[in-house]
Amino acid sequence: MENVIRAKTTNLIATRPLTEKRQENSELNMQEMRNGTILLKSKPRRLVFELTSSCNLNCIMCGRNAAEFKPSFFDIKWFSKFQNIFDEIEEVTLMGWGEPTIHPQFPKMLEFLHSKGVRIYFCTNGMKLDKLTKHIFDCEVDVFAVSLDGANEKTNSEIRSGSDFNRIVSSLKQIVKIRKDTNLRFPYINFVFTAMKRNLHEIPDLVRLASDIGIEEVKVVYLTAFEEEMAKEILIDEMDKVKSVFEEATKIAQERNILIKLPYIKGCDVAGDKAHKDCFTTYRDFFLGSDGYVRACMSNSIKLFHIDKYNDFESAWNGSEIMEWRKRVNTDEMFDPCKACYQSSFANWNKKHAFDQRTEVFSPKWD
């Protein structure tokens, strides 16, 4: 599987040329990242905003079934905290524990971000795409990802309760048609598929579906179990089957010119025996949760500080909490949640904890 793309830990998808100011910041950020600088002169390359902890679906593998999740919604006034850096960052990503498109001000947020000229990326379960199609094009959304866990209605609905496979596919076909008819370069679209025992065999068909619709990419992530019921679905001891399915899916993807991103086979992860791959989220990204608390990344349970603690972004970005994280994250002194990393891009798939979080504190406490 020579041409398989793995999760990128430093780079972001490039869908448009950067302004000179953004390019300069990104180059400085990557240089400071490589040097292990703790006090950064650069700004992050990406802001990640978790718009809500709530969702309009009930997926069998979701951590909501294993922890108490209180509804929280991102306050649009927090955008003002980043007013001075929008012209330097590359991207704003709207994703986290909940479904971002159910935020009542989601269209307004797209409009605001579009006015700042940043690349816009969101991840969705797809159930509101039909209502958002106009906004996607009016606001020039660069990228969106659609979570789909079956290549047919039956499988997807069994895993993602409340999802409507046919509605999602219809919405995507309409978006792709508009994109083609208007000769536009955006949006770039990909599927995200959570692989478990019950749906592993459908990955090749999902690649075919992506091709039939006209979207660009299929990304596969392994199921991470948060509760006992889902532990029987993890693939840690099924790597021979996984490898066979991945090889078939890769062959189809190459034939149909679909980009495919796959996690490493257990035992082959480049992280070797480390707790996780080298992690640069506190250099590249700034993550703000829907409750107003900054976390190191969306998969981390520790709240570093409330966004209102600091008067300006620069003080928060180089505050003691984030600098301490940068200092420790890739050392033996890393914080406990990092020792059990399950974040899809940085997890070490040689390790059991990446597949199984039943004994870990995997999500923040929602105040």
Side-chain angles (χ1 to χ4, degrees), residues 13 53 55 82 89 92 115 134 184 197 201 204 206 222 226 236 248 254 278 285 297 325 335 337 348:
I13 188 169
S53 61
C55 191
F82 308 92
I89 62 168
V92 174
S115 74
K134 185 177 186 301
L184 291 171
K197 288 180 180 178
H201 63 284
L206 190 73
Y222 289 127
F226 299 114
I236 190 170
E248 180 185 358
Q254 291 171 342
D278 286 347
D285 300 345
C297 75
W325 212 279
F335 291 94
N348 180 355

Side-chain angles (χ1 to χ4, degrees), residues 107-118:
K108 186 175 181 179
M109 291 177 172
L110 294 183
E111 291 170 5
F112 175 86
L113 297 174
H114 179 240
S115 74
K116 298 301 178 183
V118 296

Side-chain angles (χ1 to χ4, degrees), residues 51-52 72-74 76 99-109 128:
L51 297 192
T52 180
S72 59
F73 286 86
F74 191 97
I76 196 170
E99 168 55 39
T101 65
I102 69 171
H103 193 292
Q105 294 177 298
F106 186 76
K108 186 175 181 179
M109 291 177 172
K128 296 193 70 175

Side-chain angles (χ1 to χ4, degrees), residues 5-251:
I5 303 298
R6 305 297 177 180
K8 297 179 180 179
T9 57
T10 56
N11 294 330
L12 298 170
I13 188 169
T15 56
R16 65 170 96 172
L18 298 178
T19 63
E20 183 177 350
K21 192 170 186 178
R22 289 188 172 111
Q23 186 65 41
E24 288 177 356
N25 180 69
S26 293
E27 289 175 359
L28 177 59
N29 183 260
M30 288 186 282
Q31 179 183 334
E32 291 181 322
M33 183 190 304
R34 288 191 296 268
N35 294 341
T37 307
I38 305 302
L39 180 65
L40 303 188
K41 294 181 180 178
S42 66
K43 309 302 188 299
R45 295 170 62 200
R46 177 171 74 160
L47 302 176
V48 185
F49 296 148
E50 176 185 69
L51 297 192
T52 180
S53 61
S54 299
C55 191
N56 51 350
L57 301 186
N58 182 19
C59 301
I60 61 173
M61 66 287 190
C62 184
R64 262 179 218 81
N65 300 317
E68 183 179 359
F69 273 69
K70 295 180 180 179
S72 59
F73 286 86
F74 191 97
D75 192 331
I76 196 170
K77 73 179 183 183
W78 293 328
F79 279 172
S80 65
K81 299 284 185 177
F82 308 92
Q83 188 68 36
N84 294 332
I85 66 163
F86 278 120
D87 61 347
E88 295 183 76
I89 62 168
E90 291 184 33
E91 178 181 300
V92 174
T93 296
L94 306 174
M95 67 182 297
W97 270 106
E99 168 55 39
T101 65
I102 69 171
H103 193 292
Q105 294 177 298
F106 186 76
K108 186 175 181 179
M109 291 177 172
L110 294 183
E111 291 170 5
F112 175 86
L113 297 174
H114 179 240
S115 74
K116 298 301 178 183
V118 296
R119 186 166 61 234
I120 303 172
Y121 183 177
F122 68 87
C123 185
T124 178
N125 58 38
M127 289 299 292
K128 296 193 70 175
L129 285 174
D130 52 350
K131 307 294 184 184
L132 291 168
T133 298
K134 185 177 186 301
H135 296 287
I136 287 170
F137 286 100
D138 287 350
C139 298
E140 299 184 293
V141 170
D142 295 81
V143 187
F144 69 84
V146 179
S147 296
L148 211 64
D149 294 323
N152 57 72
E153 182 176 12
K154 182 176 183 297
T155 304
N156 189 63
S157 296
E158 287 175 354
I159 296 172
R160 306 179 67 81
S161 179
S163 181
D164 187 331
F165 178 89
N166 293 324
R167 176 179 172 182
I168 295 166
V169 169
S170 177
S171 297
L172 288 171
K173 287 181 176 178
Q174 177 63 15
I175 291 170
V176 170
K177 182 179 186 302
I178 294 172
R179 183 178 66 181
K180 182 178 179 180
D181 289 348
T182 53
N183 197 31
L184 291 171
R185 55 165 178 75
F186 63 87
Y188 180 98
I189 308 169
N190 69 291
F191 281 140
V192 180
F193 181 93
T194 303
M196 58 191 86
K197 288 180 180 178
R198 72 174 69 188
N199 68 358
L200 174 67
H201 63 284
E202 294 191 13
I203 297 174
D205 282 341
L206 190 73
V207 176
R208 293 186 182 97
L209 178 64
S211 175
D212 291 344
I213 294 171
I215 69 176
E216 289 79 5
E217 176 187 316
V218 171
K219 177 182 177 180
V220 176
V221 298
Y222 289 127
L223 167 73
T224 299
F226 299 114
E227 60 175 346
E228 199 67 31
E229 181 64 22
M230 293 308 298
K232 62 186 179 184
E233 291 280 355
I234 62 176
L235 293 165
I236 190 170
D237 296 321
E238 301 285 338
M239 286 297 138
D240 287 343
K241 291 182 181 178
V242 170
K243 185 177 180 181
S244 177
V245 171
F246 281 6
E247 287 174 347
E248 180 185 358
T250 300
K251 182 174 183 291

